[in-house]
Amino acid sequence: MVDKDIGGFRAEQLRAWKQDHETMIAEVRQHGWSSSIELLRSGQMAPGLAREIIALIEDRRTFWARFDAEFPDRVRMSIEGFRHDLTRLRRDCAAGSPLDVVIVALGQTVRHFFDTVERFDLTTLRCDSGDPDWRAFEAALRALRKSIGYQTAALADSYAIPMQGEYAGYLPRISE
């Protein structure tokens, strides 16, 4: 490949490829094939998985729409779908990898939200500032959004993924 390429490659790039290959071979010799292949696979897939997680969040208006535009049962269904999507994505992740840790943390955040609102009948609950159940639901959703926002901002920052769409305007700054 290198010899046949007309454009050529820089010496630094060739040395980096050589170093990466030597590191992989050392890993294969020390820990066996399966963990090395998993290491390679997770390294190649992580940016794509991170982008997919962020896209799932950006696409769910539950994480950014006005509170009075939300119907609690639809919020529940959307967040439940998000949880299922995270579970599916986790299958493509190396156990214990940084991205696996992020997915687990997002799942714990979702679980905490469900634990907080499980006492409410979300099928009948509606936006009403005089209703204490609505105010409690709104507070739980606000906490969920903030936590997911911080996690999303950190994930996007870690993988240098630009945030897009309406959700980007609602993200907290990591330094906050």
Side-chain angles (χ1 to χ4, degrees):
M1 178 178 94
V2 172
D3 294 338
K4 292 180 181 180
D5 190 287
I6 299 171
F9 297 91
R10 296 184 334 273
E12 301 85 34
Q13 188 175 21
L14 294 172
R15 283 190 205 98
W17 286 349
K18 181 180 177 185
Q19 180 62 43
D20 289 347
H21 182 72
E22 288 171 352
T23 301
M24 184 219 25
I25 295 300
E27 173 68 25
V28 168
R29 288 185 181 143
Q30 292 173 2
H31 300 290
W33 284 101
S34 62
S35 62
S36 299
I37 290 169
E38 186 60 32
L39 254 174
L40 290 171
R41 191 171 145 260
S42 68
Q44 291 172 345
M45 294 181 71
L49 286 173
R51 275 194 280 303
E52 193 166 346
I53 291 168
I54 289 171
L56 286 173
I57 295 167
E58 287 176 330
D59 191 44
R60 281 188 166 71
R61 57 185 301 243
T62 292
F63 294 120
W64 52 264
R66 290 185 353 247
F67 288 110
D68 63 352
E70 293 296 350
F71 290 98
D73 199 45
R74 280 199 305 218
V75 168
R76 180 198 56 79
M77 289 186 295
S78 177
I79 294 171
E80 186 65 26
F82 176 64
R83 190 185 66 76
H84 285 292
D85 289 338
L86 288 176
T87 301
R88 177 185 50 80
L89 290 176
R90 191 166 181 220
R91 292 183 203 132
D92 294 332
C93 221
S97 69
L99 201 52
D100 185 49
V101 171
V102 168
I103 291 172
V104 168
L106 287 166
Q108 289 170 339
T109 301
V110 167
R111 230 179 346 274
H112 178 72
F113 170 77
F114 282 132
D115 289 346
T116 303
V117 301
E118 73 181 344
R119 63 188 171 106
F120 306 124
D121 180 0
L122 300 180
T123 58
T124 60
L125 188 63
R126 294 293 178 259
C127 176
D128 176 0
S129 62
D131 181 352
D133 287 349
W134 169 259
R135 287 194 313 268
F137 172 80
E138 184 182 23
L141 184 56
R142 183 176 284 114
L144 171 76
R145 288 174 172 186
K146 187 171 187 175
S147 181
I148 295 284
Y150 277 116
Q151 292 173 72
T152 304
L155 180 63
D157 187 56
S158 295
Y159 286 91
I161 299 170
M163 298 301 298
Q164 301 175 27
E166 293 177 80
Y167 182 65
Y170 292 91
L171 279 178
R173 304 287 178 245
I174 293 179
S175 61
E176 288 180 354

